[in-house]
Amino acid sequence: MNIAQIEKNLTKLIGGISPDSFIYDLLLAYGTPKTTVTLLKKGNRNLSKKDDQIILKRKLFFQETQEQDLHGLIDGLKNDDATHRHDPRFIVVTDYKTLLAIDTKTDDTLDIKITEINKHPFFFGPWAKIEKNTHYNEQEADVKAAEKMAKIYDEILKDNAFETKEDLHGLNIFLSRLLFCFFAEDTGIFDGENVFTNYVSTSQEDGSDLDDYLNKLFEVLNTADHSGYPDYLSKFPYVNGGLFGDKYFAPNFSRKARRMIIECGELDWATINPDIFGSMFQAVVHTDQRSSMGQHYTSVPNIMKVIEPLFLNELREEFDKYYDNQKKLEQLLARLEKLRIFDPACGSGNFLIIAYKEIRELEMEIFQRIQEITDNPSLPFSRIQLSQFYGIELDDFAHEVAILSLWLAEHQMNVKFEEVFGQTNPTLPLKEGGNIVCENATRIPWEDVCPKDKNAEIYILGNPPYLGSKDQDEDQKQDLEHVFKEQSSYKKLDYIACWFQLGAKYIFKTNFKCAFVSTNSVCQGEQVDILWRNIFLQDISIEFAYQSFDWTNNAKSKAGVTCIIVGISNNQNIRKRCIYQNDTKLEAFNISPYLIEGSNLTIAPRSKSISKLPEMIRGSQPTDDGNLIISADEYQNISRNIPEAVRFIKRYMGADDFINDKERYCLWINQEDKEVALNIDFIKDRTDKCANFRAKSKKAGTRLKAATPWKFDEVKHKNTASLLFPVISSYRRKYVPIGFFDSKTVISNKAQVIYNATAFSFGILSSRMHVLWLSVTSSRMRNDYQYSSKLSYNTFPIPALTEKQKETIATHVYNVLEEREKHSEKTMAELYDPDKMPDGLREAHQHLDLAVERCYRSKPFTSDEERLEYLFKLYESMIANENAG
């Protein structure tokens, strides 16, 4: 749930505030599960015995009053130990006129009229896992630490030669050990204040012996028996866990490097967040990422979009269902032990860390509930092990940081566990830090990393690299070939398709599940048929999906990309299928590969229209370095000074020219007029430059065209009327602007064109039915539609129509054109801006829509989903008839 939805919920809440339901409505507004609120209303979750009080563990201490002074009441509650017994995040008091609240974590306060609560949506944001400015404060600490580590790294490189891959691996290990020591001295893993930094400070100021100091310390941290070491070393604990096990020597240090390490140790590493710091520390050794340090880690709310529908929601539903059943709760604890979380593109471990923390949080809640309903509860100890978490990462340093981050997350959760239960599993010596391997996920068999245990629940998740076909390097192209070697057309796939293919292979005929964040392009256009048809043939379907949204992070300068989330499972394991769009959740009978409700049908490109529409092609391509193109100013100058050249010039029109009313022209010379045209100096100069440009091309075909520089490279123009359809169109527009042109206009390759076009074709392509079809069958540039004649035009299903129906559509087309003419001073971009579209034009299009839709069926459609469902069924029927015929 995001802030926009919360604001909407709060606005609705203040429309009818009731003392009987206010606090329950407030919890619901922030996404608290309805089952939890229902139990709370019944008193099952309320830890208070007082009628005017509600206590919800780790969430809320709520007190209503009609008599007491609110400020005195909340001050008293804040200072009363009994209030904090159940660790409430918020203390809230109200007389239903005024509302006071305290955030016990940040000490933020709220003092407002209760009807103004919608103006403060961020305050209770933590209930929806949306922290307030603490995210930014925490991130600033991480960035500062990462920047200091980067400087240390640079200084070390100056004083040492790292010539081999093994040398660099040793440096990565050293940096991980250094990070651990910084964190350990500020979080209670090491006893004593600043014990590590003070130890470093006792070395020679010139740094000459610091490597020996650190080598001795690392040896001690890997030794269980400290009896043979002096006091200043023996006070350090035995760490083990593999972090200090392998023999890698510390590098040499300069005076400056030593000082930097001491300064870095003086930071408060307790404020560093393992959830996010790993991604930033990757920039320490990847200097090309330094300028964007802090922009690339994934925010917790976005990670939750993956893990909640994949497995966490089901676990929490089971917890709510058996809230009062000790036996079932103990069975749920046993189930948590069987979980295996596997990220085959884990980076520095963000997804694994958040999944680990959420499972530990749930385990704590279950233990607490068992203690509440049991007379003689046993002392709880966490059963969740880091060995339940698996990952593959290609980058060596990210791989090391992922292992380290999981250890640190475990320590944080152990501290939290001890705060609640008074005891915990010891952090030291470190246990195995997750099964994270440094390998290429497209090459190593996944079951070698995460064995397929039939008694385990295995969930695969992550945010693999996207990389469209044009952005892949040679190694990645070979990876794609390796994964898809048995399929054709795989070269058009995004790199992330490897993970969906391998994920489907891993979960085939098991109860395992898989979900990845992806660019939306794998569920659009030509990639759909190439990727998803084969996956569906394995009896695997989409269990849940987030439709396109901006995947951003919590950095101040938010870096984002348009993404989807797709979760897949074997059909027999799917209980329900859910589509998430904006802030709504739709249960679907099936989720199509286009991420809408529908069948698993995929649309393959066609060379001819299934509905027998006239041919649509790309316009003419000049390949001329701009030499055959003439600007409006140039055309005016030619008209005045070289009138004999005007007969060889036509209007030139691409999609951008049409939509934004830009005026351009082009040289257009026929074979029979070539000699006359080339006798004109201006034309000869332009064509000579074009010839030189083509002659230098790397493409043999283009070099051959240097012999005919007075012609376009690809000549598609016909001396007939034409209909221009933009290749790229904004997703914001309800209708795609298209236009008629006469034979004196050459349509460029930046637009699609139909020659000998009719008003009927205009009407069909302008209709809402067609726009909906292209919205799911076309590929995208971010969110904008990238139209393909083979995928969207040739596949568009139209039922058999009578001449009268076509004439009716044509009549409405003329009405649309007439309304456009009434606003001839406006560009198409202005006319079709959804916020500025003239009422008359909008109405004309709506009447055209109705006329087109009546050609499909007499009963009006009630939603776009219904329209698409009808179109896909019609397409499926037409394909079946075509194959049968």
Side-chain angles (χ1 to χ4, degrees), residues 303-534:
I303 293 175
M304 295 300 289
K305 287 179 180 177
V306 178
I307 68 176
E308 283 184 333
L310 182 61
F311 66 87
L312 191 59
N313 285 345
E314 182 185 342
L315 294 173
R316 288 205 163 274
E317 286 170 9
E318 189 170 339
F319 177 45
D320 286 339
K321 182 178 180 181
Y322 300 115
Y323 190 68
D324 296 316
N325 188 322
Q326 180 186 349
K327 183 178 179 181
K328 291 291 186 181
L329 292 179
E330 288 174 346
Q331 290 175 359
L332 180 55
L333 286 173
R335 182 181 174 187
L336 296 185
E337 293 182 71
K338 295 180 180 180
L339 296 179
R340 304 289 182 269
I341 310 300
F342 177 26
D343 184 347
C346 69
S348 47
N350 303 50
F351 279 76
L352 295 175
I353 293 163
I354 298 303
Y356 172 77
K357 285 188 166 186
E358 288 294 326
I359 294 168
R360 287 287 304 266
E361 289 276 2
L362 177 58
E363 182 190 46
M364 289 171 62
E365 291 180 40
I366 297 169
F367 276 135
Q368 285 179 298
R369 184 55 185 162
I370 290 174
Q371 287 189 333
E372 291 167 0
I373 61 177
T374 307
D375 292 333
N376 296 302
S378 59
L379 295 175
F381 284 95
S382 177
R383 307 173 194 174
I384 308 304
Q385 305 293 322
L386 291 184
S387 57
Q388 295 173 236
F389 296 80
Y390 301 78
I392 304 174
E393 174 50 41
L394 184 61
D395 182 86
D396 180 54
F397 185 62
H399 151 259
E400 295 296 339
V401 172
I403 295 172
L404 173 62
S405 297
L406 278 169
W407 274 324
L408 302 185
E410 181 184 46
H411 175 65
Q412 282 188 332
M413 293 311 299
N414 285 346
V415 170
K416 197 167 187 178
F417 195 97
E418 186 173 21
E419 288 173 355
V420 176
F421 298 107
Q423 61 183 10
T424 188
N425 297 327
T427 296
L428 297 179
L430 295 177
K431 311 300 186 297
E432 188 174 345
N435 301 285
I436 315 295
V437 301
C438 185
E439 294 284 353
N440 184 336
T442 67
R443 301 298 179 128
I444 186 173
W446 288 8
E447 56 268 29
D448 288 358
V449 179
C450 182
K452 292 184 178 181
D453 182 351
K454 65 180 181 180
N455 296 316
E457 286 186 43
I458 300 179
Y459 297 98
I460 304 170
L461 79 181
N463 186 8
Y466 306 144
L467 295 172
S469 58
K470 295 179 181 178
D471 299 319
Q472 296 162 17
D473 62 27
E474 192 56 39
D475 288 341
Q476 290 156 347
K477 290 180 186 295
Q478 290 178 11
D479 291 342
L480 202 68
E481 180 180 5
H482 177 76
V483 173
F484 289 94
K485 54 193 172 188
E486 297 177 0
Q487 289 181 234
S488 61
S489 303
Y490 67 84
K491 292 182 180 179
K492 298 176 181 178
L493 290 170
D494 288 359
Y495 190 48
I496 193 175
C498 295
W499 276 259
F500 281 107
Q501 179 82 347
L502 294 170
K505 179 182 178 182
Y506 186 96
I507 70 172
F508 178 60
K509 290 187 176 180
T510 69
N511 64 346
F512 310 150
K513 299 186 177 186
C514 173
F516 293 123
V517 181
S518 171
T519 43
N520 51 13
S521 48
V522 297
C523 287
Q524 297 166 351
E526 197 167 1
Q527 293 195 52
V528 174
D529 188 60
I530 301 169
L531 174 63
W532 290 103
R533 180 169 54 171
N534 181 63

Side-chain angles (χ1 to χ4, degrees), residues 48 70 78 134 143 155 304 315 412 542 652 658 715 720:
S48 175
L70 292 180
K78 178 184 177 182
T134 53
V143 170
E155 193 64 24
M304 295 300 289
L315 294 173
Q412 282 188 332
I542 298 174
Y652 186 60
F658 169 62
V715 178
T720 70

Side-chain angles (χ1 to χ4, degrees), residues 46 60 74 84 90 220 261 450 479 645 729 750 788 794 808:
N46 188 1
L60 172 69
I74 201 166
H84 299 276
F90 295 97
V220 168
I261 290 176
C450 182
D479 291 342
S729 185
K750 299 299 183 183
S788 163
N794 290 342
T808 300

Side-chain angles (χ1 to χ4, degrees), residues 116-133:
E116 295 177 350
I117 196 167
N118 62 321
K119 298 178 182 178
H120 304 271
F122 281 99
F123 190 83
F124 297 105
W127 286 342
K129 299 188 183 299
I130 301 172
E131 288 291 344
K132 291 161 279 186
N133 290 333

